[in-house]
Amino acid sequence: MTDEDLTLPAALVEAHTAGFFHEHSGHDFDPYDTFMWSGEMMEWWQNWTNDPMAGAPPLRAFGQDGTGGLAAFWLRNPGDPLDRQPVVFLGSEGEYTVIARDLGDYLWLLANGVGPLETVDGIERVPEPIAALTTIAQRHTASARRSTAEVITAAQAQFPAFEALLNAHAPAE
């Protein structure tokens, strides 16, 4: 057993338990009840990078898609609170992207009806805003609605270093 804190941020739990992933079609994502344990995360990272010496991943995973791709906080700024860290998606086939600048922007993705995997695979349907998640996003961000394109574009523009980090560890084809 470990003393590791696996508690998810309250806003993330609230959004994930609002029924988004189980009640809306087009989403392949299973949110976790807690963060993935660091030992399991390390094993996943070493497998994903195909490097048994990859070291500790700078990630805290909070859910996965059906093929094993992970949604996670990228621990880019160690001094910043977790909810201010970028949110990323790493797919089981080596695909990856920064999907939100922080937890607040991730909440806006969900409020817009978009799940983590869709930010990588593309949105193949017309997402519809979800009222309950809009309320959660507004309460936790105190900001006006941010479109899916705004959220993703801002995240990728602000964190281009994510690509460089992962290119150094990208899975072998």
Side-chain angles (χ1 to χ4, degrees):
M1 212 56 192
T2 178
D3 289 337
E4 180 177 358
D5 184 4
L6 302 176
T7 306
L8 297 171
L12 186 64
V13 172
E14 183 179 4
H16 283 172
T17 58
F20 173 76
F21 300 105
H22 302 293
E23 296 175 13
H24 295 87
S25 63
H27 304 289
D28 178 14
F29 186 70
D30 186 24
Y32 298 152
D33 294 330
T34 63
F35 281 115
M36 180 185 282
W37 175 63
S38 61
E40 186 179 2
M41 185 75 233
M42 173 82 86
E43 183 178 326
W44 185 93
W45 179 246
Q46 290 171 344
N47 287 330
W48 192 84
T49 61
N50 198 27
D51 179 1
M53 305 305 287
L59 305 165
R60 298 288 314 264
F62 58 80
Q64 72 179 42
D65 71 4
T67 66
L70 297 180
F73 287 100
W74 172 27
L75 306 177
R76 181 180 184 277
N77 303 310
D80 288 352
L82 193 59
D83 63 348
R84 303 286 299 155
Q85 303 286 349
V87 178
V88 299
F89 187 82
L90 296 97
S92 63
E93 301 298 318
E95 64 273 26
Y96 53 84
T97 192
V98 180
I99 64 175
R101 293 179 307 166
D102 56 24
L103 177 57
D105 276 0
Y106 175 73
L107 295 177
W108 281 117
L109 284 178
L110 300 182
N112 289 329
V114 175
L117 177 62
E118 293 176 289
T119 63
V120 175
D121 280 354
I123 301 169
E124 297 179 6
R125 61 186 173 75
V126 177
E128 294 185 24
I130 301 168
L133 288 164
T134 298
T135 300
I136 292 168
Q138 287 171 329
R139 185 171 55 253
H140 290 285
T141 66
S143 69
R145 177 179 295 281
R146 293 180 50 98
S147 74
T148 299
E150 287 174 316
V151 168
I152 294 169
T153 300
Q156 292 174 357
Q158 186 171 344
F159 300 109
F162 187 64
E163 184 174 345
L165 168 75
L166 293 183
N167 280 339
H169 296 287
E173 294 188 18

